[in-house]
Amino acid sequence: MFARVEASGRSWCLRRWPLDFDERRLRFIHRVLSDSRASGFTGVPELAKTEDVETVLTLVGRHYDAQEWLAGEPLSGVRSDSEPMPNVVVSLSPARIAGLATALARFHSSTARPYKHGYNANPLSARLTQLTRDVEARHNTLLSNVQVRARGEERDVALRWLGLLPSAVGYASSDTLPETAPEDYVPCHGDLWPAHVHFDGDTFVGFTDFESLCFATPALDLAQTVLHFGGWEIRE
């Protein structure tokens, strides 16, 4: 749940977090964002503070925060209805790809304090295990919806990916990919796709939506950057 709020000449994105979202995880996200901005990286939003200098407000068992409303526009279009935004792929110009890659590297290197706490670490093996469960649980429903609702090229693309996904996840979960050592982990955005990246022309503005932010190998963000911003031919 989001709302745009204007206060003292500034715009903020007020969010009510999901009921089951762990407060420790939310405070970890805020700590990373604050550290990143303190080191000089402006590609993450500033956090509003309460009168008690807190960035998380808990009210009737729900957690709220207010993050700076970023300038520019997200790289994917905004839907006019209430349907979920599909995880679209865009094809960026070389200038935008370079700007995004540079910003991602700066974000990864902008946090100096250690984050090696158990609930923050997110090894690829654990992430892939959960992804395998998700694929098994949702595959038939997604396939049925695509067959009934999708048309034309979108239908062809969706069916190709639904056919590929189980074997792709199985391959990624095999022992062909070595586990990165925790000392090589960095705070990762974890959910990089066009709706979460803002640009003003060819100039990178910032990242949004840090619900999946985690302490993991930087390969996680790099893979999402390659796949989500290189166009469909890169994914194929």
Side-chain angles (χ1 to χ4, degrees):
M1 299 292 291
F2 302 91
R4 182 167 180 164
V5 177
E6 308 289 336
S8 302
R10 300 189 63 183
S11 297
W12 302 90
C13 179
L14 176 65
R15 178 173 186 177
R16 184 178 72 186
W17 287 77
L19 185 61
D20 59 351
F21 201 85
D22 188 345
E23 181 180 357
R24 296 180 306 164
R25 182 169 176 77
L26 180 54
R27 292 191 179 277
F28 163 67
I29 292 170
H30 282 202
R31 191 162 72 245
V32 171
L33 297 182
S34 297
D35 286 354
S36 183
R37 287 191 64 89
S39 74
F41 181 61
T42 59
V44 296
E46 183 180 347
L47 298 169
K49 294 182 174 62
T50 67
E51 292 179 348
D52 298 325
V53 200
E54 289 282 346
T55 58
V56 177
L57 173 66
T58 302
L59 187 63
V60 195
R62 300 298 292 268
H63 303 307
Y64 297 80
D65 70 2
Q67 300 181 16
E68 173 189 12
W69 193 279
L70 292 186
E73 297 291 337
L75 289 174
S76 59
V78 178
R79 293 182 68 105
S80 60
D81 54 33
S82 59
E83 289 292 318
M85 173 70 73
N87 192 345
V88 298
V89 170
V90 298
S91 183
L92 295 189
S93 67
R96 281 185 165 188
I97 282 283
L100 176 57
T102 300
L104 184 60
R106 291 187 59 205
F107 173 61
H108 285 170
S109 62
S110 66
T111 50
R113 75 166 69 187
Y115 296 99
K116 299 176 183 179
H117 306 295
Y119 71 93
N120 294 333
N122 191 204
L124 278 179
S125 57
R127 193 178 183 95
L128 288 168
T129 297
Q130 182 59 50
L131 182 59
T132 300
R133 297 193 192 103
D134 290 345
V135 169
E136 292 173 351
R138 302 171 64 183
H139 186 269
N140 289 340
T141 300
L142 289 170
L143 182 61
S144 297
N145 284 338
V146 167
Q147 291 172 334
V148 171
R149 300 174 61 182
R151 297 289 184 273
E153 183 181 3
E154 289 185 349
R155 186 177 191 274
D156 293 340
V157 169
L159 290 175
R160 286 204 306 274
W161 276 97
L162 285 172
L164 172 66
L165 194 55
S167 58
V169 172
Y171 178 78
S173 302
S174 71
D175 59 4
T176 57
L177 295 177
E179 188 65 75
T180 305
E183 57 266 25
D184 296 325
Y185 283 8
V186 297
C188 287
H189 183 284
D191 194 18
L192 281 178
W193 60 289
H196 297 162
V197 176
H198 282 229
F199 268 77
D200 183 2
D202 282 338
T203 302
F204 171 83
V205 173
F207 300 114
T208 61
D209 201 331
F210 298 90
E211 186 171 329
S212 298
L213 192 146
C214 57
F215 185 64
T217 168
L220 175 62
D221 279 349
L222 289 172
Q224 292 180 351
T225 301
V226 171
L227 293 177
H228 291 165
F229 300 93
W232 279 111
E233 65 278 4
I234 296 296
R235 298 193 77 152
E236 295 288 2

